[in-house]
């Protein structure tokens, strides 16, 4: 019995050796891993379907680490800074500005390693942050449930037919956009958010859920628990792809948000650079806009037809000072939590 076992082990070892000699590329690829901290919907709809393509083109296997929000993701990375276990981190522009001050944890973008940076829209690349997409945040709603089948303005959400049937994000989601939007609608601005916070306090009973994860609002909208939410075109497409009647409108004012990638100091700068370069390729940018319904940052790729229909006009769109958002987001979040507490 021992002799038979030794023979089997010897043959197995010889076979393994032959396989290793015949397939060095496979073993090499298995050792190369890129760990990407991103949003659940981004992984499922954009990255997971293209993971094999990434492996084929770069030799790296993609492993996801899911975050509910970029604020949550940043806290996790910083808490494990000695060994973050993340190579690429997805975040919005405002949170990226905050993270970039942690110079030991986040790496400068190696422009010489990422030739596809030449495809980017002018002026959007930063020293430590590269956008993957941009999008308007407007009203995503159920056409079969809202009165008249249509929503045209922010003000409608705060009328009796919508009472306890809408979802709004906490400031940690979409980097304070809800506070800024409420302020603009009520005579305030980025330097004076008190009117917005007071409006949210007075109308808190109008809101079914103030959520800290966009996925929670999407599920509630899909089930009919709510009939409208503050959200992005990707939320509308997700519902439509499931056969749920939905639409999006970008009323005045419509905040515009850029989201993208940062390189974490995790000992894999080559893999992280390869991921960013792949993400900016025309093929991936087109795939992203077609399946995710967000706008490409490559000047050579057109937004999906469905997205073009909901992009705001120039007069309706608004961009904010991301530096000011970064400086004030913590204070806004505390004031928001106090205002909407029941």
């Amino acid at each position: 019995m021992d002799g038979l076992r030794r023979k089997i082990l010897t043959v197995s070892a010889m076979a393994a050796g032959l396989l290793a000699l015949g397939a060095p590329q496979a073993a090499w690829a298995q050792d190369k891993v890129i760990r990407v901290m991103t949003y659940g919907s981004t992984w499922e709809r954009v990255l997971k379907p293209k993971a094999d393509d990434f492996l084929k083109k770069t030799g790296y296997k993609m492993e996801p680490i899911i975050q509910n929000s970029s604020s949550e993701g940043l806290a996790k990375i910083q808490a494990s800074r000695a060994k973050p276990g993340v190579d690429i981190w997805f975040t919005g522009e405002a949170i990226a500005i905050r993270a970039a001050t942690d110079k030991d944890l986040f790496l400068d973008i190696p422009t010489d390693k990422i030739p596809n940076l030449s495809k980017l829209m002018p002026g959007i690349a930063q020293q430590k942050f590269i956008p993957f997409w941009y999008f308007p945040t407007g009203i995503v709603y159920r056409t079969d449930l809202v009165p008249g089948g249509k929503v045209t303005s922010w003000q409608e959400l705060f009328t009796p037919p919508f009472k306890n049937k809408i979802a709004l994000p906490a400031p940690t989601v979409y980097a304070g956009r809800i506070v800024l939007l409420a302020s603009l609608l009520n005579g305030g601005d980025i330097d004076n958010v008190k009117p917005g916070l007071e409006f949210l306090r007075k109308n808190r009973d109008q809101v079914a859920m103030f959520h800290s994860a966009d996925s929670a609002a999407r599920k509630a909208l899909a089930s009919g628990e709510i009939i409208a939410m503050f959200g992005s075109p990707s939320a509308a497409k997700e519902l439509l792809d499931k056969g749920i009647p939905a639409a999006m409108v970008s009323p005045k004012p419509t905040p515009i948000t850029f989201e993208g990638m940062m390189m974490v100091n995790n000992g894999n700068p080559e893999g992280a650079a390869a991921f960013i370069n792949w993400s900016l390729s025309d093929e991936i940018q087109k795939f992203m806009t077609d399946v995710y319904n967000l706008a490409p940052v490559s000047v050579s790729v057109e937004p999906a037809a469905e997205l073009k229909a909901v992009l705001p006009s120039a007069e309706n769109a608004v961009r904010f000072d991301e530096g000011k958002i970064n400086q004030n987001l913590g204070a806004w979040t505390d004031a928001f939590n106090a205002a909407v507490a029941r």
Side-chain angles (χ1 to χ4, degrees), residues 215-275:
S215 58
R218 296 184 187 201
K219 289 178 182 178
L221 190 58
S223 69
E225 178 184 347
I226 60 172
I227 62 176
M229 63 177 281
F230 180 104
S232 71
S234 67
K237 181 168 177 57
E238 183 177 313
L239 293 174
L240 290 169
D241 287 349
K242 293 177 180 178
I244 299 171
M248 177 176 170
V249 62
S250 300
K252 187 176 183 178
T254 297
I256 300 296
T257 299
F258 282 84
E259 290 183 340
M261 305 154 283
M262 296 184 73
M263 293 173 52
V264 184
N265 189 4
N266 191 51
N268 190 14
E270 295 83 5
F275 181 89

Side-chain angles (χ1 to χ4, degrees), residues 29 36 50 62 84 86 95 97 107 115 122 155 189 197 199 207 211 224 227 240 270 293 296 329:
V36 182
K50 288 293 184 178
M62 197 188 307
V86 176
I95 306 299
I97 291 173
L107 303 176
Q155 288 81 357
D189 56 29
L197 291 167
F199 176 80
V207 182
H211 62 86
I227 62 176
L240 290 169
E270 295 83 5
N293 213 32
L329 187 57

Side-chain angles (χ1 to χ4, degrees), residues 35-49 62-77 86 88-97 99 106 129-135 137 170-177 211-216 218-219 232 234-235 238 257-262 275 288 292 294 322 329:
R35 294 173 175 86
V36 182
M37 179 175 280
T38 188
Y39 316 104
S41 57
T42 300
W43 168 249
E44 291 293 337
R45 297 176 69 82
V46 180
L47 300 181
K48 184 178 179 180
M62 197 188 307
E63 289 188 357
I65 302 168
I66 303 303
Q67 60 182 3
N68 286 321
S69 69
S70 54
S71 294
E72 174 194 275
L74 178 59
K76 288 181 177 179
I77 293 171
V86 176
I88 287 287
W89 172 52
F90 275 68
T91 182
E93 191 175 8
I95 306 299
I97 291 173
F106 295 97
F129 171 75
I130 300 298
F132 195 143
W133 56 64
Y134 72 95
F135 58 89
T137 39
T172 52
V173 183
Y174 298 120
R177 264 47 180 186
H211 62 86
S212 58
D214 200 58
S215 58
R218 296 184 187 201
K219 289 178 182 178
S232 71
S234 67
E238 183 177 313
T257 299
F258 282 84
E259 290 183 340
M261 305 154 283
M262 296 184 73
F275 181 89
M288 178 277 298
Y292 210 32
L294 300 182
E322 301 292 345
L329 187 57

